[in-house]
Each structure stands twice: as structure tokens, then as C-alpha cells.
């Protein structure tokens, strides 16, 4: 319910449009003056009369709709009080009708592709991948909820000369048993060793190139080794995806486009967009104020950008997307600007539907001290495990008798990490702290989960069953604290839409914190279960709506909401 809209449709001022009135409506600084007000000063000049007189006249003429209880003229303002019972009934009935699990909106018939996580084969999954994975995974759920068809794409980094080097290192020093056991860490070490030895043995580089050529030519042995490395990497990363509740609809990575680049290169050639530069083929972007976009190297090899051009065309042809999002760190700003510009120059009308969704960097509080010995990268699985272990300890102190302790600790620990990734605006660099993100009192996932569990326990104790059709006396919810909660509840859908529009899951995070804070303020001031049955029923319904909104909101942020904590 948009009250500004209702008010702007109700108030009629000669020569002033509904939009102007809408824009003028604000919230009075003092609560006793009502929920909304219309300052009349700005109309004074046009109407050639005092703000007081305007407000008085409006008050005398106004016909109040059922949503508004009163309009008062005070010192040049028209102050509105809402019909609180009406607001409570409208909001809570609507939420109750959605049940415990909010179903997605009706299909819009529009597809959103989301390229996220997009890991590199044989490279460790470190904390730097947290943001793309969490933001992309959350956007996937948000768009899905809003009725879009979503396609999650893991654009694997599975092509390049480094894989020839890796095969060479494996042939020289590889140990299958060790690789089986330590997975990507062992592969990483082989790669590091290759580089160290290549420094005084330049022949190694030739060997690396030789094996890459073999992979390119489809040599059974080289391809077989590489495919196994790929599989190992994916098995390892799948464990993290499972913990985060993330899925992909496609793992078409860079190598998938090997046979799909030529048509794009041909098209660039035909349209006269390719120029030679020191033997390489590039698209000149000087007029656009950018360095040239490299398409083919001197030796004819394709590049990252060539693959992204082919991928964009493929995605458009395959999915006919409404939007194609690339959730990738801001370090690649230029890359995506170039790629999208080249698509535009190719005359693809859908080029402007490709959107880079950039984000900042993650570091750990305390920096180096916290980095593991494993080649100096902080592995995401270690961060998750540390957080879960800490959560387990906290739960053991707070609630030693809790059943299902380890499942709750998993939800709390992982949730804490994901929430800290999703609760600041994307583009800001983020410093991660275990203690802050695991605090039950701060602006954290455990705080939200705890508030949800509190609602759950209130409802359980009262043996409340969440089926609709209950007659509730909404006048019992007209106090300030209840109305604050209801006002927050009413914002949910608008906040989710805004988060999708701006590609900012943090708006939902902020919203859930506000909702939990207003509910906890209500809870401090009021008993839910009272002597009066009417009041109790109304407050239980309020509590049930807070619970389901928290749970469904957390779900959009990939976070689980246990019933007990
Ligand atoms: N694998 C790349 C990296 O780690 C990210 C790929 C992003 N997606 C894309 N279509 N370029 O930097």
C-alpha cells in the first residue's frame, strides 16, 4: 500500500498535479502529528495565499478514504493520521495469505541470465570468491522470486596456456594418490613448482606450450588429464555450493566457446571492426576513450574478451535474455565496458541488456595474521569451518540442550559469513571479522536468525497454527510499536523489487535488520500472550507475519532460519 499515492489522489489543489503533491508529501518529525504530512508552503506563491489558509481550505474540503483516519491543519501543514486498524488488517491478511513459504510471483515471461562465481579450474576457492558467489546466488533467488526465469551460469575459467603448464608439471612430478587426497591444493603446488623451476629451466615453458597445443588439438592423453583436474576442482567447489545452497543451470565456461568464436570474429571482420596492431587483431575503441579490445593474438590465439563476446551471443541466442548480469569484481570494469561496446558496434540491439554488476574486495580483519599457510590464500572452506566452529561454541554456551546443534551451528556460521558479504553495498571494499559477524546483538545474520527463532518459540508456546481465516480484532494492533512493525512488514515487496532493480541484495539485508529491530522494540514493550484473547490473537498473527517475512527474506539472502537456536 502506497500511502503517499492515496494521499496525493485524495488532496485536490487547483493547478497542482498529483505528481507534485506526491513529491511534496513527507513524514512529520513528531509522531503525534501523524504518519504523513503535506507542507503547504511550496504552493503559497502559486495560489497567492498563506500556507495556513491553504491547509485550512484543504482540510475543510477533503473527503477521507478509509485508509486515512484524519487530516488536520497545523501551522501550514496538513497532517495525516492513518487508519491503523485498516493498515494492520490489509498488511497482515496479505502476508498471512502467503503462508510460511512465499511462493514466487506469477511468471513474467522474462529471462535473466546471471554469470556468477565463475571459478578458475585448478585454482583454490578463496575468500575473494565469496562476494561473486553470494551476490550472484542471492540475485538468482531474488529474480526467481519476482517471477523471472533465471539461468545461473558458472563461466568456468578452463582455458589458457596455464593448463598446458599444469599438465607438464603433472607429467614430471605428479602423484595421483596425493592429488586424489589433497585435490586443488596439490594441483596448485604443482603449478607453483612449475614456475619456480621454469626460472632456471626455460625449456619447461616450451613444454607447457607443447601440452597446451596438445589439449587444443584434442590429444586424448592431455585432454584426459585436464578433464580430470576440472572434475576434481568441480567436486571440491560443489561442497561449498551445497553449504551455501547455490546451484547453476550451466557450467559452460571458456573452453565451451572454442568452436563458437569464429562466427563472431568473421562478423567483426565483415563489419570492418578489426584492425591490426603489432600483429594482433583488435577492435579500436579510441573514440570511446578506451584502449583497444584484443580479439586475436599475434599467433592467432583467442583471448578472454573473444570468449566473452562469443558467450554473450550464445546466451542471447539460447536464452533470449531480458538481462544478462555479470557478477564480477570491479577490477574487470574495463573488460566488460569493452566487451559491451564491441557488441554495440556489432549492432546487437541487446548489448545494453548486458550488465556488469561489480563489487569490491574482501579482506580479513587483522590481515596477514589470519591468512593460512596454504600459499597465502585464505580458503573459503576454512573461513566457513572456522565460523561454524565458533558458532558451535556460542550455541553450546547459550543453549547447551538444543537439539540438532550441529545443523544450527552450520546455519549460523555459514549465515554469518554470507550476511557479512551481502549486508554492505556491493561496491564497498569489505573487511571481514568473525567476531562481529557472529555477534547475536549486532547487525548480523545470527541476530536475525535469533529474532526469527524467538518468534518461532512464542508461536510454539501459544500453540499457534498458521492457517489463515482467523478473525482478528485489528484495533488491538493500533499502538505505536505494533504499527511500526506493520509498517515495516508492508515494505517487503517494494524492497525486494528495489533490490532487483539495483542489483543490491544489501537493501534486503538492511530491511530485515530494521524489521527485527522494530519487532524487538515491540517485544520489549508488550507481552504477546496476555489475559485478553483478542489482543493475544492479534499479536500472535503479528508475530507469525514477522516470522515468515524474516524467514523468506533471509532465504533471498541464501541464509537459513532455524526454528530454535
Ligand atoms: N573466471 C573469471 C575470474 O575469476 C571470472 C569470469 C567472469 N565471467 C565472465 N563471463 N567473464 O576472474
Amino acid at each position: 500500500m502506497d500511502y503517499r499515492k492515496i494521499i496525493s489522489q485524495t488532496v485536490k489543489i487547483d493547478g497542482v498535479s498529483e505528481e507534485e503533491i506526491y513529491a511534496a508529501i513527507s513524514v512529520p518529525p513528531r509522531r503525534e502529528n501523524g504518519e504523513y504530512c503535506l507542507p503547504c508552503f511550496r504552493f503559497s506563491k502559486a495560489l497567492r495565499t498563506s500556507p495556513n489558509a491553504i491547509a485550512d481550505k484543504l482540510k475543510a474540503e477533503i473527503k477521507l478514504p478509509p485508509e486515512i483516519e484524519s487530516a488536520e491543519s497545523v501551522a501550514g501543514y496538513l497532517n495525516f493520521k492513518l487508519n491503523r486498524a485498516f493498515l494492520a488488517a490489509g498488511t497482515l491478511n496479505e502476508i498471512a495469505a502467503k503462508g510460511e513459504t512465499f511462493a514466487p510471483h506469477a511468471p513474467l515471461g522474462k529471462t535473466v541470465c546471471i554469470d556468477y562465481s565463475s571459478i578458475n579450474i585448478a585454482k583454490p576457492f578463496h575468500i575473494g570468491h565469496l562476494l561473486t558467489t553470494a551476490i550472484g546466488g542471492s540475485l538468482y533467488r531474488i529474480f526467481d522470486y519476482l517471477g523471472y526465469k533465471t539461468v545461473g551460469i558458472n563461466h568456468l575459467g578452463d582455458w589458457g596456456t596455464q593448463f598446458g603448464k599444469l599438465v607438464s608439471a603433472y607429467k614430471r612430478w605428479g602423484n595421483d594418490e596425493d592429488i586424489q587426497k589433497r585435490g586443488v591444493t596439490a594441483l596448485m603446488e604443482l603449478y607453483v613448482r612449475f614456475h619456480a623451476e621454469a626460472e632456471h629451466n626455460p625449456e619447461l615453458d616450451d613444454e607447457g606450450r607443447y601440452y597446451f597445443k596438445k589439449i587444443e588439438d584434442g590429444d586424448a592423453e592431455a585432454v584426459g588429464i585436464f578433464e580430470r583436474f576440472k572434475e576434481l576442482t568441480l567436486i571440491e567447489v560443489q561442497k561449498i555450493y551445497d553449504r551455501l545452497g547455490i546451484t547453476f543451470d550451466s557450467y559452460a565456461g571458456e573452453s565451451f566457446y572454442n568452436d563458437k568464436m569464429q562466427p563472431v570474429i568473421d562478423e567483426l571482420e565483415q563489419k570492418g571492426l578489426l584492425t591490426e596492431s603489432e600483429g594482433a587483431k583488435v577492435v579500436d575503441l579510441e573514440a570511446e576513450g578506451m584502449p583497444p579490445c584484443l580479439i586475436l593474438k599475434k599467433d592467432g590465439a583467442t583471448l578472454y574478451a573473444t570468449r566473452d563476446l562469443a558467450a554473450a551471443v550464445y546466451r542471447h541466442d539460447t536464452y533470449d535474455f531480458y538481462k544478462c548480469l555479470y557478477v564480477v569484481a570491479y577490477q574487470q570494469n574495463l573488460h566488460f565496458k569493452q566487451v559491451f561496446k564491441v557488441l554495440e558496434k556489432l549492432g546487437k540491439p541487446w548489448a545494453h541488456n548486458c550488465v556488469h554488476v561489480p563489487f569490491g574486495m574482501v579482506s580479513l580483519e587483522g590481515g596477514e595474521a589470519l591468512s593460512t599457510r596454504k600459499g597465502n590464500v585464505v580458503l573459503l572452506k576454512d573461513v566457513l569451518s572456522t565460523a561454524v566452529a565458533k558458532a558451535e561454541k556460542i550455541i553450546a554456551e547459550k543453549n547447551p540442550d538444543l537439539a540438532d546443534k550441529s545443523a544450527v551451528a552450520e546455519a549460523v556460521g555459514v549465515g554469518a559469513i554470507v550476511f557479512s558479504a551481502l549486508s554492505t553495498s556491493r561496491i564497498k571494499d569489505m573487511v571481514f571479522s568473525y567476531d562481529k559477524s557472529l555477534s547475536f546483538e549486532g547487525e548480523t545474520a545470527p541476530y536475525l536468525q535469533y529474532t526469527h527463532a524467538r518468534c518461532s518459540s512464542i508461536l510454539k508456546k501459544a500453540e499457534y497454527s498458521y492457517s489463515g481465516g482467523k478473525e482478528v480484532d485489528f484495533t488491538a494492533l493500533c499502538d505505536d510499536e505494533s504499527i511500526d512493525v506493520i509498517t515495516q512488514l508492508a515494505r517487503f515487496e517494494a524492497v525486494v523489487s528495489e533490490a532487483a532493480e539495483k542489483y543490491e541484495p544489501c537493501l534486503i539485508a538492511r530491511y530485515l535488520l530494521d524489521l527485527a529491530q522494530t519487532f524487538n522494540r515491540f517485544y520489549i514493550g508488550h507481552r504477546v500472550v496476555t489475559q485478553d484473547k483478542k489482543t493475544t490473537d492479534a499479536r500472535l498473527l503479528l508475530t507469525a507475519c514477522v516470522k515468515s517475512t524474516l524467514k523468506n527474506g533471509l532465504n533471498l539472502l541464501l541464509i537459513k532460519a532455524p526454528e530454535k537456536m
Side-chain angles (χ1 to χ4, degrees), residues 31-49:
R31 170 149 224 160
E32 58 267 31
N33 286 331
E35 282 81 14
Y36 291 98
C37 66
L38 180 67
C40 296
F41 308 89
R42 54 163 75 202
F43 311 121
S44 191
K45 210 167 160 197
L47 300 180
R48 296 213 184 94
T49 144

PDB file of all heavy atoms in Angstrom, residues 31-49:
ATOM      1  N   ARG A  31       5.897  12.272  15.982  1.00  0.00           N
ATOM      2  CA  ARG A  31       4.943  11.206  15.762  1.00  0.00           C
ATOM      3  C   ARG A  31       3.494  11.614  16.041  1.00  0.00           C
ATOM      4  O   ARG A  31       2.573  11.207  15.334  1.00  0.00           O
ATOM      5  CB  ARG A  31       5.354  10.052  16.670  1.00  0.00           C
ATOM      6  CG  ARG A  31       4.363   8.979  16.736  1.00  0.00           C
ATOM      7  CD  ARG A  31       5.048   7.673  16.968  1.00  0.00           C
ATOM      8  NE  ARG A  31       4.440   6.737  16.081  1.00  0.00           N
ATOM      9  CZ  ARG A  31       4.964   5.617  15.710  1.00  0.00           C
ATOM     10  NH1 ARG A  31       6.163   5.301  16.145  1.00  0.00           N
ATOM     11  NH2 ARG A  31       4.334   4.820  14.907  1.00  0.00           N
ATOM     12  N   GLU A  32       3.286  12.453  17.092  1.00  0.00           N
ATOM     13  CA  GLU A  32       1.903  12.801  17.445  1.00  0.00           C
ATOM     14  C   GLU A  32       1.228  13.613  16.336  1.00  0.00           C
ATOM     15  O   GLU A  32       0.024  13.781  16.344  1.00  0.00           O
ATOM     16  CB  GLU A  32       1.815  13.516  18.803  1.00  0.00           C
ATOM     17  CG  GLU A  32       2.618  14.803  18.918  1.00  0.00           C
ATOM     18  CD  GLU A  32       4.018  14.552  19.494  1.00  0.00           C
ATOM     19  OE1 GLU A  32       4.562  13.444  19.260  1.00  0.00           O
ATOM     20  OE2 GLU A  32       4.568  15.445  20.147  1.00  0.00           O
ATOM     21  N   ASN A  33       2.025  14.096  15.380  1.00  0.00           N
ATOM     22  CA  ASN A  33       1.418  14.826  14.267  1.00  0.00           C
ATOM     23  C   ASN A  33       0.935  13.907  13.143  1.00  0.00           C
ATOM     24  O   ASN A  33       0.449  14.377  12.121  1.00  0.00           O
ATOM     25  CB  ASN A  33       2.406  15.847  13.721  1.00  0.00           C
ATOM     26  CG  ASN A  33       2.544  17.027  14.664  1.00  0.00           C
ATOM     27  OD1 ASN A  33       1.600  17.367  15.382  1.00  0.00           O
ATOM     28  ND2 ASN A  33       3.723  17.613  14.707  1.00  0.00           N
ATOM     29  N   GLY A  34       1.134  12.608  13.324  1.00  0.00           N
ATOM     30  CA  GLY A  34       0.620  11.685  12.322  1.00  0.00           C
ATOM     31  C   GLY A  34       1.732  11.006  11.557  1.00  0.00           C
ATOM     32  O   GLY A  34       2.915  11.170  11.857  1.00  0.00           O
ATOM     33  N   GLU A  35       1.344  10.210  10.561  1.00  0.00           N
ATOM     34  CA  GLU A  35       2.320   9.417   9.797  1.00  0.00           C
ATOM     35  C   GLU A  35       2.844  10.156   8.573  1.00  0.00           C
ATOM     36  O   GLU A  35       3.946   9.914   8.126  1.00  0.00           O
ATOM     37  CB  GLU A  35       1.700   8.086   9.368  1.00  0.00           C
ATOM     38  CG  GLU A  35       1.625   7.036  10.466  1.00  0.00           C
ATOM     39  CD  GLU A  35       0.442   7.205  11.403  1.00  0.00           C
ATOM     40  OE1 GLU A  35      -0.492   7.971  11.075  1.00  0.00           O
ATOM     41  OE2 GLU A  35       0.449   6.566  12.483  1.00  0.00           O
ATOM     42  N   TYR A  36       1.987  11.026   8.020  1.00  0.00           N
ATOM     43  CA  TYR A  36       2.403  11.764   6.821  1.00  0.00           C
ATOM     44  C   TYR A  36       1.938  13.203   6.936  1.00  0.00           C
ATOM     45  O   TYR A  36       0.995  13.508   7.680  1.00  0.00           O
ATOM     46  CB  TYR A  36       1.778  11.145   5.558  1.00  0.00           C
ATOM     47  CG  TYR A  36       2.346   9.788   5.236  1.00  0.00           C
ATOM     48  CD1 TYR A  36       1.670   8.632   5.618  1.00  0.00           C
ATOM     49  CD2 TYR A  36       3.559   9.669   4.565  1.00  0.00           C
ATOM     50  CE1 TYR A  36       2.205   7.371   5.351  1.00  0.00           C
ATOM     51  CE2 TYR A  36       4.095   8.419   4.287  1.00  0.00           C
ATOM     52  CZ  TYR A  36       3.416   7.284   4.683  1.00  0.00           C
ATOM     53  OH  TYR A  36       3.944   6.066   4.419  1.00  0.00           O
ATOM     54  N   CYS A  37       2.604  14.089   6.188  1.00  0.00           N
ATOM     55  CA  CYS A  37       2.123  15.466   6.140  1.00  0.00           C
ATOM     56  C   CYS A  37       2.373  16.071   4.774  1.00  0.00           C
ATOM     57  O   CYS A  37       3.226  15.605   4.021  1.00  0.00           O
ATOM     58  CB  CYS A  37       2.771  16.308   7.233  1.00  0.00           C
ATOM     59  SG  CYS A  37       4.531  16.535   7.004  1.00  0.00           S
ATOM     60  N   LEU A  38       1.598  17.102   4.486  1.00  0.00           N
ATOM     61  CA  LEU A  38       1.775  17.840   3.238  1.00  0.00           C
ATOM     62  C   LEU A  38       2.103  19.280   3.615  1.00  0.00           C
ATOM     63  O   LEU A  38       1.234  20.016   4.092  1.00  0.00           O
ATOM     64  CB  LEU A  38       0.474  17.781   2.416  1.00  0.00           C
ATOM     65  CG  LEU A  38       0.516  18.525   1.080  1.00  0.00           C
ATOM     66  CD1 LEU A  38       1.478  17.840   0.113  1.00  0.00           C
ATOM     67  CD2 LEU A  38      -0.878  18.608   0.478  1.00  0.00           C
ATOM     68  N   PRO A  39       3.360  19.704   3.427  1.00  0.00           N
ATOM     69  CA  PRO A  39       3.705  21.102   3.724  1.00  0.00           C
ATOM     70  C   PRO A  39       3.105  21.993   2.643  1.00  0.00           C
ATOM     71  O   PRO A  39       3.287  21.717   1.458  1.00  0.00           O
ATOM     72  CB  PRO A  39       5.239  21.120   3.638  1.00  0.00           C
ATOM     73  CG  PRO A  39       5.676  19.705   3.391  1.00  0.00           C
ATOM     74  CD  PRO A  39       4.499  18.935   2.911  1.00  0.00           C
ATOM     75  N   CYS A  40       2.387  23.034   3.033  1.00  0.00           N
ATOM     76  CA  CYS A  40       1.675  23.833   2.032  1.00  0.00           C
ATOM     77  C   CYS A  40       2.455  25.073   1.599  1.00  0.00           C
ATOM     78  O   CYS A  40       1.986  25.826   0.743  1.00  0.00           O
ATOM     79  CB  CYS A  40       0.295  24.228   2.579  1.00  0.00           C
ATOM     80  SG  CYS A  40      -0.739  22.769   2.852  1.00  0.00           S
ATOM     81  N   PHE A  41       3.627  25.284   2.197  1.00  0.00           N
ATOM     82  CA  PHE A  41       4.436  26.471   1.858  1.00  0.00           C
ATOM     83  C   PHE A  41       4.734  26.548   0.379  1.00  0.00           C
ATOM     84  O   PHE A  41       4.665  27.598  -0.235  1.00  0.00           O
ATOM     85  CB  PHE A  41       5.757  26.450   2.648  1.00  0.00           C
ATOM     86  CG  PHE A  41       5.544  26.265   4.117  1.00  0.00           C
ATOM     87  CD1 PHE A  41       5.494  25.002   4.686  1.00  0.00           C
ATOM     88  CD2 PHE A  41       5.367  27.378   4.922  1.00  0.00           C
ATOM     89  CE1 PHE A  41       5.279  24.851   6.033  1.00  0.00           C
ATOM     90  CE2 PHE A  41       5.150  27.225   6.285  1.00  0.00           C
ATOM     91  CZ  PHE A  41       5.110  25.958   6.836  1.00  0.00           C
ATOM     92  N   ARG A  42       5.048  25.432  -0.198  1.00  0.00           N
ATOM     93  CA  ARG A  42       5.500  25.442  -1.579  1.00  0.00           C
ATOM     94  C   ARG A  42       4.389  25.794  -2.578  1.00  0.00           C
ATOM     95  O   ARG A  42       4.663  26.088  -3.722  1.00  0.00           O
ATOM     96  CB  ARG A  42       6.122  24.100  -1.943  1.00  0.00           C
ATOM     97  CG  ARG A  42       5.193  22.923  -1.665  1.00  0.00           C
ATOM     98  CD  ARG A  42       5.658  21.713  -2.408  1.00  0.00           C
ATOM     99  NE  ARG A  42       6.844  21.104  -1.788  1.00  0.00           N
ATOM    100  CZ  ARG A  42       7.675  20.328  -2.439  1.00  0.00           C
ATOM    101  NH1 ARG A  42       7.482  20.079  -3.705  1.00  0.00           N
ATOM    102  NH2 ARG A  42       8.679  19.768  -1.820  1.00  0.00           N
ATOM    103  N   PHE A  43       3.132  25.746  -2.122  1.00  0.00           N
ATOM    104  CA  PHE A  43       2.035  26.097  -3.036  1.00  0.00           C
ATOM    105  C   PHE A  43       1.601  27.550  -2.853  1.00  0.00           C
ATOM    106  O   PHE A  43       0.765  28.057  -3.585  1.00  0.00           O
ATOM    107  CB  PHE A  43       0.834  25.175  -2.807  1.00  0.00           C
ATOM    108  CG  PHE A  43       1.205  23.710  -2.783  1.00  0.00           C
ATOM    109  CD1 PHE A  43       0.939  22.925  -1.669  1.00  0.00           C
ATOM    110  CD2 PHE A  43       1.832  23.124  -3.884  1.00  0.00           C
ATOM    111  CE1 PHE A  43       1.280  21.589  -1.635  1.00  0.00           C
ATOM    112  CE2 PHE A  43       2.180  21.786  -3.852  1.00  0.00           C
ATOM    113  CZ  PHE A  43       1.904  21.019  -2.729  1.00  0.00           C
ATOM    114  N   SER A  44       2.159  28.184  -1.839  1.00  0.00           N
ATOM    115  CA  SER A  44       1.729  29.510  -1.420  1.00  0.00           C
ATOM    116  C   SER A  44       1.859  30.536  -2.548  1.00  0.00           C
ATOM    117  O   SER A  44       0.940  31.312  -2.807  1.00  0.00           O
ATOM    118  CB  SER A  44       2.571  29.910  -0.219  1.00  0.00           C
ATOM    119  OG  SER A  44       2.057  31.038   0.373  1.00  0.00           O
ATOM    120  N   LYS A  45       2.984  30.508  -3.202  1.00  0.00           N
ATOM    121  CA  LYS A  45       3.247  31.505  -4.235  1.00  0.00           C
ATOM    122  C   LYS A  45       2.239  31.368  -5.392  1.00  0.00           C
ATOM    123  O   LYS A  45       1.613  32.331  -5.792  1.00  0.00           O
ATOM    124  CB  LYS A  45       4.667  31.304  -4.757  1.00  0.00           C
ATOM    125  CG  LYS A  45       5.305  32.576  -5.238  1.00  0.00           C
ATOM    126  CD  LYS A  45       6.793  32.373  -5.432  1.00  0.00           C
ATOM    127  CE  LYS A  45       7.356  33.447  -6.350  1.00  0.00           C
ATOM    128  NZ  LYS A  45       8.662  33.040  -6.864  1.00  0.00           N
ATOM    129  N   ALA A  46       2.079  30.121  -5.853  1.00  0.00           N
ATOM    130  CA  ALA A  46       1.199  29.876  -6.992  1.00  0.00           C
ATOM    131  C   ALA A  46      -0.246  30.226  -6.651  1.00  0.00           C
ATOM    132  O   ALA A  46      -0.987  30.760  -7.483  1.00  0.00           O
ATOM    133  CB  ALA A  46       1.306  28.423  -7.434  1.00  0.00           C
ATOM    134  N   LEU A  47      -0.653  29.926  -5.423  1.00  0.00           N
ATOM    135  CA  LEU A  47      -2.058  30.134  -5.060  1.00  0.00           C
ATOM    136  C   LEU A  47      -2.298  31.525  -4.475  1.00  0.00           C
ATOM    137  O   LEU A  47      -3.425  31.904  -4.176  1.00  0.00           O
ATOM    138  CB  LEU A  47      -2.517  29.070  -4.058  1.00  0.00           C
ATOM    139  CG  LEU A  47      -2.425  27.614  -4.518  1.00  0.00           C
ATOM    140  CD1 LEU A  47      -2.914  26.668  -3.426  1.00  0.00           C
ATOM    141  CD2 LEU A  47      -3.231  27.379  -5.791  1.00  0.00           C
ATOM    142  N   ARG A  48      -1.238  32.272  -4.278  1.00  0.00           N
ATOM    143  CA  ARG A  48      -1.284  33.644  -3.744  1.00  0.00           C
ATOM    144  C   ARG A  48      -2.053  33.720  -2.444  1.00  0.00           C
ATOM    145  O   ARG A  48      -2.861  34.595  -2.222  1.00  0.00           O
ATOM    146  CB  ARG A  48      -1.923  34.600  -4.768  1.00  0.00           C
ATOM    147  CG  ARG A  48      -1.100  34.713  -6.022  1.00  0.00           C
ATOM    148  CD  ARG A  48      -1.234  36.116  -6.604  1.00  0.00           C
ATOM    149  NE  ARG A  48      -0.514  36.173  -7.865  1.00  0.00           N
ATOM    150  CZ  ARG A  48      -1.083  35.957  -9.050  1.00  0.00           C
ATOM    151  NH1 ARG A  48      -2.363  35.716  -9.132  1.00  0.00           N
ATOM    152  NH2 ARG A  48      -0.346  36.027 -10.140  1.00  0.00           N
ATOM    153  N   THR A  49      -1.800  32.775  -1.593  1.00  0.00           N
ATOM    154  CA  THR A  49      -2.405  32.844  -0.255  1.00  0.00           C
ATOM    155  C   THR A  49      -1.493  32.151   0.747  1.00  0.00           C
ATOM    156  O   THR A  49      -0.562  31.445   0.362  1.00  0.00           O
ATOM    157  CB  THR A  49      -3.854  32.261  -0.228  1.00  0.00           C
ATOM    158  OG1 THR A  49      -4.051  31.597   0.999  1.00  0.00           O
ATOM    159  CG2 THR A  49      -4.086  31.262  -1.317  1.00  0.00           C
TER     160      THR A  49
END
